[in-house]
Amino acid sequence: MTSDYPHHLPRLYVAQPLAESSEAILTDAQAHYLKNVMRLEDGAGVRVFNAESGEWLAGLMFPSKKAASVSIGKLLRAAEETSVRRHLVFSPIKKDRMDWMIEKAVEMGATDFHPVLMRRSVVRDIKSERMEAQIIEAAEQCERMDIPVLHSPVSLEKFMQQYDGTIPLFAAIERDENAALLSSLAVDGDFAFLVGPEGGFDREEIELLTAQKFTRPVSLGPRILRAETAALYGLAKLV
Ligand code: SAH
């Protein structure tokens, strides 16, 4: 990235392929935000991106009251291969804490979000559309090129059944004396990191997790962290 990179311009994820001199249509939510919140006008500069096309400088157009589109100019950053997959496997938790966890996990480079229902999950319903929007917003803000994938919610049993055992599954298990200290592990390449709900795992769940060879029980240290702190700490140590 050069020093004249326009980091101050709004940065928007656009799903369609982007190329110089082409046009792209923005969503109603983006149009509303740019026009009514940012109060931008025709011709204002923005950045648009997606993982396949890279990031482009573009000029805003408001063809009607509610619609917005962009006219694409020069390439700012080329598309890049996302190599390492970092899966966060988590129980749904209360709204504000989950919002925080999702945003920070996107910033920390999680590529895949797996909501998993556990016995003690107090929140059992996942608002996928809302979570998807949060993921996109965090990716726009932190200058990521790729948009992390939000997987469909499943039970822990189902998740374990479907798990592709080639990637190590680091399971944060509280109060397990045999668990390896996460901070002492050297991790290279793809991984999944699993954290439990506010109330922790129950005994059967721990048995289910540890019965698999691909599971690596890990301790996050002597203190019991809240689920969202555990998620962030784990990602920060593993990336
Ligand atoms: N209320 C529970 C703790 C739940 S903490 C209890 O008192 O037992 C929420 C989740 O964060 C746990 O399920 C675990 O996945 C993770 N976690 C928190 N602190 C941890 C630690 N020190 N080691 C490993 N995992 C931890």
Side-chain angles (χ1 to χ4, degrees):
M1 234 181 283
T2 56
S3 57
D4 60 359
Y5 175 74
H7 56 82
H8 55 286
L9 295 183
R11 186 169 184 271
L12 308 163
Y13 167 67
V14 173
Q16 74 189 72
L18 307 169
E20 189 160 355
S21 306
S22 66
E23 284 183 13
I25 296 169
L26 302 182
T27 64
D28 291 353
Q30 288 171 328
H32 168 77
Y33 169 76
L34 296 164
K35 190 169 195 167
N36 304 321
V37 181
M38 298 294 288
R39 307 226 163 258
L40 296 178
E41 294 183 356
D42 267 322
V46 294
R47 295 173 286 167
V48 290
F49 73 98
N50 64 54
E52 294 73 34
S53 309
E55 183 172 323
W56 299 78
L57 187 61
L60 260 184
M61 299 180 290
F62 293 109
S64 70
K65 231 178 167 180
K66 286 208 171 132
S69 56
V70 286
S71 147
I72 299 168
K74 70 170 183 178
L75 182 68
L76 293 171
R77 284 166 65 195
E80 48 199 52
E81 295 267 312
T82 30
S83 43
V84 179
R85 305 296 309 178
R86 308 179 183 106
H87 301 259
L88 178 63
V89 187
F90 61 101
S91 159
I93 53 172
K94 286 192 191 123
K95 186 167 163 285
D96 292 355
R97 297 182 180 280
M98 189 141 71
D99 290 353
W100 187 88
M101 181 177 80
I102 298 291
E103 179 182 284
K104 304 307 165 207
V106 172
E107 292 176 39
M108 290 311 301
T111 59
D112 294 80
F113 287 90
H114 300 263
V116 169
L117 291 172
M118 305 178 196
R119 299 274 162 83
R120 296 190 186 136
S121 300
V122 265
V123 175
R124 308 205 63 91
D125 130 56
I126 288 282
K127 304 223 169 2
S128 299
E129 239 174 70
R130 182 170 182 275
M131 200 177 279
E132 188 86 56
Q134 288 175 320
I135 290 173
I136 291 175
E137 201 179 310
E140 288 175 340
Q141 190 271 331
C142 75
E143 298 188 352
R144 265 179 91 135
M145 204 67 101
D146 64 315
I147 303 294
V149 180
L150 175 61
H151 297 263
S152 306
V154 286
S155 65
L156 184 62
E157 286 74 16
K158 186 100 188 250
F159 177 81
M160 291 304 282
Q161 264 168 25
Q162 294 175 342
Y163 193 76
D164 165 7
T166 56
I167 301 175
L169 175 67
F170 295 99
I173 301 181
E174 64 275 20
R175 302 191 185 84
D176 176 357
E177 277 160 25
N178 301 316
L181 203 56
L182 183 69
S183 56
S184 67
L185 298 178
V187 178
D188 190 21
D190 297 354
F191 67 82
F193 181 61
L194 178 145
V195 286
E198 284 104 333
F201 297 111
D202 79 7
R203 180 158 301 280
E204 277 177 38
E205 287 177 327
I206 293 178
E207 279 165 18
L208 174 72
L209 290 170
T210 52
Q212 299 299 333
K213 274 212 218 66
F214 52 75
T215 302
R216 299 185 58 184
V218 289
S219 162
L220 309 182
R223 290 172 301 278
I224 300 296
L225 310 178
R226 281 181 180 271
E228 72 276 19
T229 320
L232 255 289
Y233 174 84
L235 287 172
K237 286 284 176 203
L238 289 163
V239 293

